[in-house]
Amino acid sequence: MLQALKQFIQAAIETDHAVAGDEVELAVATLFVQLSRADNQPDEAERAKMLKRLAHLFQLETAEAERLLARADEMAEQATSLYDFTRFVKQLEYQQRYQFTVALWEIAWADDELDPHEEALIRQIAELIYLSHSDFVKAKHQAQPQ
């Protein structure tokens, strides 16, 4: 009996971690989508960069990244606040949040233009996930096309 209870609790913990991981992935993808919409000019280069970064950040196959991005498109349509998504990203380790911010900059520059709305959104997201200003600037320079 005790062993069965222990297995039940372990399974619940593992399921909880899997759900939390899914929430982080969806939150990141949704923030990517919101960024790509910030300039009101959807772009295939931005979409391709989002897919590449999602696959890299979460070790996803291309088909998995595409499904995640499709779910994120739906979430972005219903979004009322950045906080709904940044609260999950904020749970990541600092270096992961930094890499996420680099990815945001890469997506913003994917179409070879940095729109002021995109920059403002990245700044707001960086503040909400507690990224230091110096790392915000460093991420911008790291992602900037040469």
Side-chain angles (χ1 to χ4, degrees):
M1 177 74 166
L2 190 56
Q3 184 63 24
L5 180 60
K6 188 175 179 179
Q7 289 174 340
F8 174 78
I9 291 171
Q10 184 62 34
I13 290 170
E14 289 171 5
T15 301
D16 188 44
H17 287 297
V19 169
D22 288 349
E23 290 173 338
V24 170
E25 289 176 7
L26 185 57
V28 165
T30 303
L31 290 167
F32 284 177
V33 169
Q34 288 180 315
L35 176 63
S36 73
R37 293 177 179 180
D39 63 1
N40 293 314
Q41 296 176 344
D43 185 87
E44 278 305 310
E46 288 177 339
R47 188 159 188 87
K49 183 61 78 172
M50 288 187 286
L51 286 170
K52 181 179 176 182
R53 293 304 284 162
L54 287 171
H56 179 263
L57 288 171
F58 300 114
Q59 292 82 43
L60 301 174
E61 297 294 324
T62 302
E64 293 173 307
E66 288 173 348
R67 283 192 295 275
L68 179 59
L69 201 53
R71 286 178 53 209
D73 279 327
E74 294 171 10
M75 293 296 293
E77 286 292 325
Q78 302 168 12
T80 58
S81 167
L82 290 176
Y83 176 77
D84 294 339
F85 307 103
T86 57
R87 67 187 177 106
F88 294 107
V89 176
K90 193 169 38 175
Q91 296 172 9
L92 297 172
E93 296 292 324
Y94 189 84
Q95 187 59 33
Q96 292 171 312
R97 288 181 278 151
Y98 174 80
Q99 289 303 319
F100 164 72
T101 307
V102 171
L104 288 172
W105 284 114
E106 289 176 353
I107 292 164
W109 266 311
D111 59 0
D112 296 324
E113 283 186 39
L114 181 59
D115 185 271
H117 293 99
E118 291 171 326
E119 185 166 5
L121 183 61
I122 296 170
R123 181 179 304 278
Q124 187 177 12
I125 291 169
E127 289 173 1
L128 289 170
I129 64 171
Y130 300 131
L131 192 74
S132 72
H133 180 71
S134 62
D135 283 337
F136 166 81
V137 173
K138 182 178 163 187
K140 180 179 182 179
H141 290 294
Q142 181 178 337
Q144 190 169 7
Q146 301 303 322

